Amino acid sequence: MNQNKILLVDGMALLFRAFYATAMSNYYMINSKGVPTNAVYGFVKHLFMATKNYGPSHVVCCWDMGSTTFRNEIFPQYKANRGEPPVELIPQFDLVKEVVEALDIPNVGLAGYEADDCIGTLSNEYSEHSEVIILTGDQDILQLLQDNVTVSLLKKGYGNYAEYQHDNFIEEKGITPMQMIDLKALMGDSSDNYPGVKGIGEKTALKLLTEYETIEGILDNLPNLTKGQRTKIENELDMLHLSRKLAAIHCEVDVNCSLDDAIFEINQERMMEKFNELEFKRLDSLLS
């Protein structure tokens, strides 16, 4: 029997990428009911191109469930630099889940956690017995790389990916996937709005992790650091530890999805009924 191949989809990453691909030129695909559908249409296109490319036996789609998570509770400024979503995107958040449901693909999410956390939890569970491919545009998910887990990062256009396995990640980055957490803890993440250690950039953080492997290793060797490095880290110890909690994908979320529910078998009639309702054309041809 062939091993299962499970595609875990970062729904929000695909939806946002699809939205901005046309929104930048003010094209929102507003249908006859006055509903913008450009993000949902592009999402489905990304999804179908990936299923055609990878041929998964199972597909699961994971979502953020609201803008507030446990990370905001421990650091209120987390992602506070992000504005409200455009009005044209807001109705598409629920609409895209309706489409995913019409494709008989499970929607998975849990309030208080991000899609990344759900993906990490399911990836750890599934990879014990199956091949897992994570489809996303978010490099943070690279920390989940391990045996049996591939991360496929969306590149410009459709059907273009940067694929990472555990070994080629180490070759390219010079650190292990798990060290990405400590890397972000040291250098911070401007897109997620936490600072890490002020004055420590990527180059220095990589150098320290290459030499001392972990934050604990760095702290155990503070006397061996330059005076500047030591001072910066000592002044920001609390933020360093907090940033690591923010950077780490939480892989013990209370979500589950039976593989029986995730078998990738689209009911063509149900799919076309939804596509016709939304006035989507030519999308089904991507499956053939």
Side-chain angles (χ1 to χ4, degrees):
M1 182 176 176
N2 292 332
Q3 184 186 43
N4 290 329
K5 184 187 288 187
I6 304 167
L7 183 67
L8 286 176
V9 179
D10 183 350
M12 211 62 82
L14 269 64
L15 189 72
F16 271 84
R17 179 175 286 257
F19 177 80
Y20 286 109
T22 64
M24 298 298 286
S25 53
N26 293 315
Y27 180 58
Y28 301 108
M29 281 183 66
I30 297 173
N31 64 20
S32 64
K33 302 178 186 72
V35 179
T37 59
N38 65 318
V40 180
Y41 187 93
F43 169 93
V44 175
K45 192 172 178 181
H46 277 304
L47 176 65
F48 283 179
M49 294 292 279
T51 57
K52 189 173 184 178
N53 185 71
Y54 292 110
S57 56
H58 301 74
V59 180
V60 178
C61 195
C62 295
W63 300 95
D64 296 342
M65 301 296 286
S67 57
T68 302
T69 70
F70 76 94
R71 293 178 177 87
N72 299 97
E73 295 175 7
I74 63 175
F75 187 63
Q77 298 97 313
Y78 181 73
K79 292 189 177 180
N81 55 333
R82 303 190 182 187
E84 292 296 314
V87 292
E88 296 87 357
L89 180 56
I90 291 172
Q92 301 189 65
F93 289 137
D94 289 334
L95 194 57
V96 71
K97 292 175 188 173
E98 292 177 18
V99 171
V100 169
E101 187 178 335
L103 297 172
D104 293 315
I105 295 172
N107 288 305
V108 174
L110 184 66
Y113 296 92
E114 297 180 43
D116 290 6
D117 302 313
C118 299
I119 289 170
T121 299
L122 294 177
S123 176
N124 280 1
E125 176 188 337
Y126 295 153
S127 63
E128 292 183 6
H129 52 70
S130 303
E131 178 184 354
V132 174
I133 300 165
I134 301 172
L135 181 66
T136 183
D138 184 358
Q139 295 209 22
D140 290 351
I141 286 183
L142 290 168
Q143 67 184 258
L144 298 177
L145 286 168
Q146 55 180 311
D147 291 342
N148 260 12
V149 177
T150 297
V151 172
S152 185
L153 293 176
L154 296 168
K155 294 173 68 177
K156 190 173 182 179
Y158 290 91
N160 301 314
Y161 314 104
E163 294 179 7
Y164 287 94
Q165 288 85 33
H166 187 272
D167 290 347
N168 75 328
F169 174 88
I170 295 173
E171 287 174 18
E172 180 176 321
K173 305 291 187 182
I175 56 174
T176 66
M178 284 301 292
Q179 283 179 298
M180 271 195 71
I181 301 169
D182 286 3
L183 178 68
K184 289 189 66 179
L186 286 161
M187 61 182 281
D189 186 328
S190 58
S191 67
D192 287 344
N193 202 44
Y194 58 88
V197 177
K198 291 176 185 174
I200 299 284
E202 183 175 17
K203 185 177 178 181
T204 300
L206 282 170
K207 182 176 182 296
L208 292 173
L209 287 173
T210 299
E211 190 163 356
Y212 301 114
E213 296 188 358
T214 64
I215 284 173
E216 285 76 20
I218 294 169
L219 296 179
D220 287 343
N221 287 276
L222 279 178
N224 299 326
L225 273 53
T226 68
K227 183 180 178 182
Q229 292 168 350
R230 185 168 66 249
T231 300
K232 289 169 185 173
I233 290 171
E234 287 175 340
N235 288 343
E236 299 284 354
L237 272 179
D238 288 345
M239 182 52 71
L240 174 62
H241 292 302
L242 177 58
S243 293
R244 181 155 61 171
K245 290 180 182 177
L246 297 172
I249 292 175
H250 186 69
C251 294
E252 296 179 352
V253 177
D254 188 19
V255 294
N256 58 73
C257 180
S258 163
L259 286 185
D260 290 341
D261 294 331
I263 295 171
F264 186 56
E265 288 181 348
I266 290 177
N267 181 316
Q268 293 281 333
E269 186 177 345
R270 189 180 184 207
M271 175 185 73
M272 290 310 300
E273 182 180 345
K274 193 65 180 178
F275 285 180
N276 290 335
E277 175 192 327
L278 296 175
E279 300 167 20
F280 286 172
K281 301 185 187 308
R282 297 182 298 278
L283 270 180
D284 57 305
S285 64
L286 295 174
L287 286 172
S288 57

